[in-house]
CSV table of all heavy atoms in Angstrom, one decimal:
chain,number,residue,atom,x,y,z
A,151,ARG,N,98.1,109.8,49.8
A,151,ARG,CA,99.5,109.5,49.6
A,151,ARG,C,100.4,110.2,50.6
A,151,ARG,O,101.3,109.6,51.1
A,151,ARG,CB,99.9,110.0,48.2
A,151,ARG,CG,101.2,109.5,47.7
A,151,ARG,CD,101.5,110.1,46.3
A,151,ARG,NE,100.5,109.5,45.3
A,151,ARG,CZ,100.8,108.4,44.7
A,151,ARG,NH1,101.9,107.7,44.9
A,151,ARG,NH2,99.9,107.9,43.8
A,152,GLU,N,100.0,111.4,51.0
A,152,GLU,CA,100.8,112.1,52.0
A,152,GLU,C,100.7,111.4,53.4
A,152,GLU,O,101.6,111.3,54.1
A,152,GLU,CB,100.4,113.6,52.1
A,152,GLU,CG,100.8,114.4,50.9
A,152,GLU,CD,100.4,115.8,51.0
A,152,GLU,OE1,99.8,116.2,52.0
A,152,GLU,OE2,100.6,116.6,50.0
A,153,ALA,N,99.4,111.0,53.7
A,153,ALA,CA,99.2,110.4,55.0
A,153,ALA,C,99.9,109.1,55.1
A,153,ALA,O,100.5,108.8,56.2
A,153,ALA,CB,97.7,110.1,55.2
A,154,LEU,N,100.0,108.3,54.1
A,154,LEU,CA,100.7,107.1,54.1
A,154,LEU,C,102.2,107.3,54.2
A,154,LEU,O,102.9,106.6,55.0
A,154,LEU,CB,100.4,106.3,52.8
A,154,LEU,CG,98.9,105.7,52.7
A,154,LEU,CD1,98.7,105.2,51.3
A,154,LEU,CD2,98.8,104.6,53.7
A,155,THR,N,102.7,108.3,53.5
A,155,THR,CA,104.1,108.6,53.6
A,155,THR,C,104.5,109.1,55.0
A,155,THR,O,105.5,108.6,55.6
A,155,THR,CB,104.5,109.6,52.6
A,155,THR,OG1,104.1,109.2,51.3
A,155,THR,CG2,106.0,109.9,52.6
A,156,ALA,N,103.6,109.9,55.6
A,156,ALA,CA,103.9,110.5,56.9
A,156,ALA,C,103.9,109.4,57.9
A,156,ALA,O,104.6,109.5,58.9
A,156,ALA,CB,102.8,111.5,57.2
A,157,ALA,N,103.1,108.4,57.7
A,157,ALA,CA,103.0,107.3,58.7
A,157,ALA,C,104.1,106.3,58.5
A,157,ALA,O,104.2,105.3,59.3
A,157,ALA,CB,101.6,106.6,58.5
A,158,ALA,N,105.0,106.5,57.6
A,158,ALA,CA,106.1,105.6,57.3
A,158,ALA,C,105.6,104.2,57.2
A,158,ALA,O,106.1,103.3,57.9
A,158,ALA,CB,107.2,105.8,58.4
A,159,THR,N,104.7,104.0,56.4
A,159,THR,CA,104.1,102.6,56.2
A,159,THR,C,105.1,101.6,55.8
A,159,THR,O,105.8,101.8,54.9
A,159,THR,CB,103.0,102.7,55.2
A,159,THR,OG1,102.1,103.7,55.4
A,159,THR,CG2,102.2,101.3,55.1
A,160,ARG,N,105.2,100.6,56.6
A,160,ARG,CA,106.2,99.5,56.3
A,160,ARG,C,105.5,98.6,55.3
A,160,ARG,O,104.3,98.3,55.3
A,160,ARG,CB,106.6,98.8,57.5
A,160,ARG,CG,105.4,98.0,58.2
A,160,ARG,CD,106.0,97.3,59.5
A,160,ARG,NE,104.9,96.6,60.2
A,160,ARG,CZ,104.1,97.1,61.0
A,160,ARG,NH1,104.1,98.4,61.2
A,160,ARG,NH2,103.1,96.4,61.6
A,161,ARG,N,106.3,98.1,54.4
A,161,ARG,CA,105.8,97.2,53.4
A,161,ARG,C,105.5,95.8,54.0
A,161,ARG,O,106.1,95.4,55.0
A,161,ARG,CB,106.9,97.0,52.3
A,161,ARG,CG,107.0,98.2,51.4
A,161,ARG,CD,108.1,98.0,50.3
A,161,ARG,NE,108.0,99.2,49.4
A,161,ARG,CZ,107.4,99.2,48.3
A,161,ARG,NH1,106.8,98.1,47.8
A,161,ARG,NH2,107.4,100.3,47.5
A,162,VAL,N,104.5,95.2,53.5
A,162,VAL,CA,104.0,93.9,54.1
A,162,VAL,C,105.0,92.8,53.9
A,162,VAL,O,105.6,92.7,52.8
A,162,VAL,CB,102.7,93.5,53.4
A,162,VAL,CG1,102.2,92.2,53.9
A,162,VAL,CG2,101.6,94.6,53.7
A,163,THR,N,105.3,92.1,54.9
A,163,THR,CA,106.3,91.0,54.8
A,163,THR,C,105.6,89.8,54.2
A,163,THR,O,104.5,89.5,54.5
A,163,THR,CB,106.8,90.6,56.2
A,163,THR,OG1,105.7,90.3,57.0
A,163,THR,CG2,107.6,91.7,56.8
A,164,ARG,N,106.3,89.1,53.3
A,164,ARG,CA,105.7,88.0,52.5
A,164,ARG,C,105.4,86.8,53.3
A,164,ARG,O,104.5,86.1,52.9
A,164,ARG,CB,106.7,87.7,51.3
A,164,ARG,CG,106.8,88.8,50.3
A,164,ARG,CD,105.6,89.0,49.5
A,164,ARG,NE,105.7,90.1,48.6
A,164,ARG,CZ,104.7,90.4,47.7
A,164,ARG,NH1,103.6,89.7,47.6
A,164,ARG,NH2,104.9,91.5,46.9
A,165,PRO,N,106.2,86.4,54.3
A,165,PRO,CA,105.9,85.1,55.0
A,165,PRO,C,104.5,85.0,55.6
A,165,PRO,O,104.0,83.9,55.6
A,165,PRO,CB,107.0,85.1,56.1
A,165,PRO,CG,108.1,85.9,55.6
A,165,PRO,CD,107.4,87.0,54.8
A,166,ALA,N,103.9,86.1,56.0
A,166,ALA,CA,102.6,86.0,56.6
A,166,ALA,C,101.6,85.9,55.4
A,166,ALA,O,101.8,86.2,54.3
A,166,ALA,CB,102.3,87.3,57.3
A,167,PRO,N,100.4,85.2,55.7
A,167,PRO,CA,99.4,85.1,54.7
A,167,PRO,C,99.1,86.6,54.2
A,167,PRO,O,98.8,87.4,55.0
A,167,PRO,CB,98.2,84.6,55.5
A,167,PRO,CG,98.8,83.8,56.6
A,167,PRO,CD,100.1,84.6,57.0
A,168,LEU,N,99.2,86.7,52.9
A,168,LEU,CA,99.2,88.1,52.4
A,168,LEU,C,97.9,88.9,52.7
A,168,LEU,O,98.0,90.0,53.1
A,168,LEU,CB,99.4,88.0,50.8
A,168,LEU,CG,99.9,89.3,50.2
A,168,LEU,CD1,101.1,89.9,50.9
A,168,LEU,CD2,100.2,89.1,48.7
A,169,ARG,N,96.8,88.2,52.5
A,169,ARG,CA,95.5,89.0,52.7
A,169,ARG,C,95.4,89.4,54.2
A,169,ARG,O,94.9,90.5,54.4
A,169,ARG,CB,94.3,88.1,52.3
A,169,ARG,CG,94.1,86.9,53.1
A,169,ARG,CD,92.9,86.1,52.6
A,169,ARG,NE,93.2,85.5,51.3
A,169,ARG,CZ,92.3,84.8,50.6
A,169,ARG,NH1,91.1,84.7,51.0
A,169,ARG,NH2,92.7,84.3,49.4
A,170,GLN,N,95.9,88.6,55.1
A,170,GLN,CA,95.9,88.9,56.5
A,170,GLN,C,96.8,90.0,56.8
A,170,GLN,O,96.5,91.0,57.6
A,170,GLN,CB,96.2,87.7,57.4
A,170,GLN,CG,96.1,88.0,58.9
A,170,GLN,CD,94.8,88.3,59.4
A,170,GLN,OE1,93.8,87.6,59.0
A,170,GLN,NE2,94.6,89.4,60.2
A,171,ALA,N,98.0,90.0,56.2
A,171,ALA,CA,99.0,91.0,56.4
A,171,ALA,C,98.5,92.4,55.9
A,171,ALA,O,98.7,93.4,56.6
A,171,ALA,CB,100.3,90.7,55.8
A,172,VAL,N,97.9,92.4,54.8
A,172,VAL,CA,97.3,93.6,54.2
A,172,VAL,C,96.2,94.1,55.1
A,172,VAL,O,96.1,95.3,55.3
A,172,VAL,CB,96.9,93.4,52.7
A,172,VAL,CG1,96.1,94.6,52.2
A,172,VAL,CG2,98.1,93.1,51.8
A,173,TYR,N,95.3,93.2,55.5
A,173,TYR,CA,94.2,93.6,56.4
A,173,TYR,C,94.7,94.2,57.6
A,173,TYR,O,94.3,95.3,58.1
A,173,TYR,CB,93.4,92.4,56.7
A,173,TYR,CG,92.3,92.6,57.7
A,173,TYR,CD1,91.0,93.0,57.3
A,173,TYR,CD2,92.5,92.5,59.1
A,173,TYR,CE1,90.0,93.2,58.3
A,173,TYR,CE2,91.5,92.7,60.0
A,173,TYR,CZ,90.3,93.0,59.6
A,173,TYR,OH,89.3,93.3,60.5
A,174,ASP,N,95.7,93.6,58.2
A,174,ASP,CA,96.3,94.2,59.5
A,174,ASP,C,96.9,95.5,59.3
A,174,ASP,O,96.8,96.4,60.1
A,174,ASP,CB,97.4,93.2,60.1
A,174,ASP,CG,96.7,91.9,60.6
A,174,ASP,OD1,95.5,91.9,60.8
A,174,ASP,OD2,97.5,90.9,60.7
A,175,ALA,N,97.6,95.7,58.2
A,175,ALA,CA,98.3,96.9,57.9
A,175,ALA,C,97.3,98.1,57.7
A,175,ALA,O,97.5,99.2,58.2
A,175,ALA,CB,99.2,96.8,56.6
A,176,LEU,N,96.2,97.8,56.9
A,176,LEU,CA,95.2,98.8,56.7
A,176,LEU,C,94.4,99.1,58.0
A,176,LEU,O,94.1,100.3,58.2
A,176,LEU,CB,94.3,98.4,55.6
A,176,LEU,CG,94.9,98.2,54.2
A,176,LEU,CD1,93.8,97.7,53.2
A,176,LEU,CD2,95.4,99.6,53.7
A,177,THR,N,94.2,98.1,58.8
A,177,THR,CA,93.5,98.4,60.0
A,177,THR,C,94.3,99.3,60.9
A,177,THR,O,93.8,100.2,61.5
A,177,THR,CB,93.2,97.0,60.8
A,177,THR,OG1,92.4,96.2,59.9
A,177,THR,CG2,92.4,97.3,62.0
A,178,GLU,N,95.6,99.0,61.0
A,178,GLU,CA,96.4,99.8,61.8
A,178,GLU,C,96.5,101.3,61.3
A,178,GLU,O,96.5,102.2,62.1
A,178,GLU,CB,97.9,99.3,61.9
A,178,GLU,CG,98.8,100.0,62.8
A,178,GLU,CD,98.3,100.1,64.3
A,178,GLU,OE1,97.6,99.2,64.7
A,178,GLU,OE2,98.6,101.1,64.9
A,179,LEU,N,96.5,101.5,60.0
A,179,LEU,CA,96.5,102.8,59.5
A,179,LEU,C,95.2,103.6,59.8
A,179,LEU,O,95.2,104.8,60.1
A,179,LEU,CB,96.7,102.8,57.9
A,179,LEU,CG,98.1,102.4,57.4
A,179,LEU,CD1,98.1,102.1,55.9
A,179,LEU,CD2,99.1,103.6,57.7
A,180,ILE,N,94.1,102.8,59.9
A,180,ILE,CA,92.8,103.4,60.3
A,180,ILE,C,92.8,103.8,61.7
A,180,ILE,O,92.5,104.9,62.2
A,180,ILE,CB,91.7,102.5,59.9
A,180,ILE,CG1,91.5,102.4,58.3
A,180,ILE,CG2,90.4,103.0,60.5
A,180,ILE,CD1,90.6,101.3,57.9
A,181,VAL,N,93.2,102.8,62.6
A,181,VAL,CA,93.2,103.0,64.0
A,181,VAL,C,94.1,104.1,64.4
A,181,VAL,O,93.8,104.9,65.3
A,181,VAL,CB,93.7,101.7,64.7
A,181,VAL,CG1,93.9,101.9,66.2
A,181,VAL,CG2,92.6,100.6,64.5
A,182,SER,N,95.3,104.2,63.8
A,182,SER,CA,96.2,105.3,64.2
A,182,SER,C,95.8,106.7,63.7
A,182,SER,O,96.4,107.7,64.1
A,182,SER,CB,97.6,105.0,63.6
A,182,SER,OG,97.6,105.1,62.2
A,183,GLY,N,94.8,106.7,62.8
A,183,GLY,CA,94.4,108.0,62.2
A,183,GLY,C,95.1,108.4,61.0
A,183,GLY,O,94.9,109.5,60.5
A,184,SER,N,96.1,107.6,60.5
A,184,SER,CA,96.7,107.9,59.3
A,184,SER,C,95.8,108.0,58.1
A,184,SER,O,95.9,108.7,57.2
A,184,SER,CB,97.9,106.9,59.0
A,184,SER,OG,98.8,107.0,60.0
A,185,LEU,N,94.8,107.0,58.1
A,185,LEU,CA,93.7,107.1,57.2
A,185,LEU,C,92.5,107.5,58.0
A,185,LEU,O,92.1,106.8,59.0
A,185,LEU,CB,93.5,105.7,56.6
A,185,LEU,CG,94.6,105.1,55.7
A,185,LEU,CD1,94.3,103.7,55.3
A,185,LEU,CD2,94.8,106.0,54.5
A,186,LYS,N,91.9,108.6,57.7
A,186,LYS,CA,90.9,109.2,58.5
A,186,LYS,C,89.5,108.9,58.1
A,186,LYS,O,89.2,108.5,56.9
A,186,LYS,CB,91.1,110.7,58.5
A,186,LYS,CG,92.4,111.2,59.0
A,186,LYS,CD,92.6,112.7,59.1
A,186,LYS,CE,93.9,113.1,59.6
A,186,LYS,NZ,94.3,112.5,60.9
A,187,PRO,N,88.5,108.9,59.0
A,187,PRO,CA,87.1,108.6,58.7
A,187,PRO,C,86.6,109.5,57.5
A,187,PRO,O,86.9,110.7,57.4
A,187,PRO,CB,86.4,109.1,60.0
A,187,PRO,CG,87.4,108.8,61.1
A,187,PRO,CD,88.7,109.2,60.5
A,188,GLY,N,86.0,108.8,56.6
A,188,GLY,CA,85.5,109.4,55.4
A,188,GLY,C,86.5,109.5,54.3
A,188,GLY,O,86.1,109.9,53.1
A,189,GLN,N,87.7,109.1,54.5
A,189,GLN,CA,88.8,109.2,53.5
A,189,GLN,C,88.6,108.2,52.4
A,189,GLN,O,88.3,107.0,52.7
A,189,GLN,CB,90.1,109.1,54.1
A,189,GLN,CG,91.3,109.3,53.1
A,189,GLN,CD,92.6,109.5,53.8
A,189,GLN,OE1,92.7,109.7,55.0
A,189,GLN,NE2,93.7,109.3,53.1
A,190,HIS,N,88.7,108.6,51.1
A,190,HIS,CA,88.6,107.7,50.0
A,190,HIS,C,89.9,106.8,49.9
A,190,HIS,O,91.0,107.3,50.0
A,190,HIS,CB,88.5,108.5,48.7
A,190,HIS,CG,88.2,107.7,47.5
A,190,HIS,ND1,88.6,108.1,46.2
A,190,HIS,CD2,87.6,106.5,47.4
A,190,HIS,CE1,88.2,107.2,45.3
A,190,HIS,NE2,87.6,106.2,46.0
A,191,LEU,N,89.6,105.5,49.7
A,191,LEU,CA,90.7,104.6,49.7
A,191,LEU,C,90.9,104.1,48.2
A,191,LEU,O,90.0,103.5,47.7
A,191,LEU,CB,90.5,103.4,50.6
A,191,LEU,CG,90.3,103.7,52.1
A,191,LEU,CD1,89.9,102.5,52.9
A,191,LEU,CD2,91.5,104.4,52.7
Side-chain angles (χ1 to χ4, degrees):
R151 192 179 293 272
E152 292 180 359
L154 288 167
T155 301
T159 308
R160 62 181 182 278
R161 287 178 174 263
V162 174
T163 55
R164 295 287 176 177
L168 197 52
R169 69 182 67 184
Q170 181 64 46
V172 172
Y173 175 90
D174 291 343
L176 292 178
T177 302
E178 183 57 33
L179 286 168
I180 292 171
V181 170
S182 68
S184 297
L185 296 174
K186 300 184 181 302
Q189 185 168 341
H190 186 206
L191 303 175

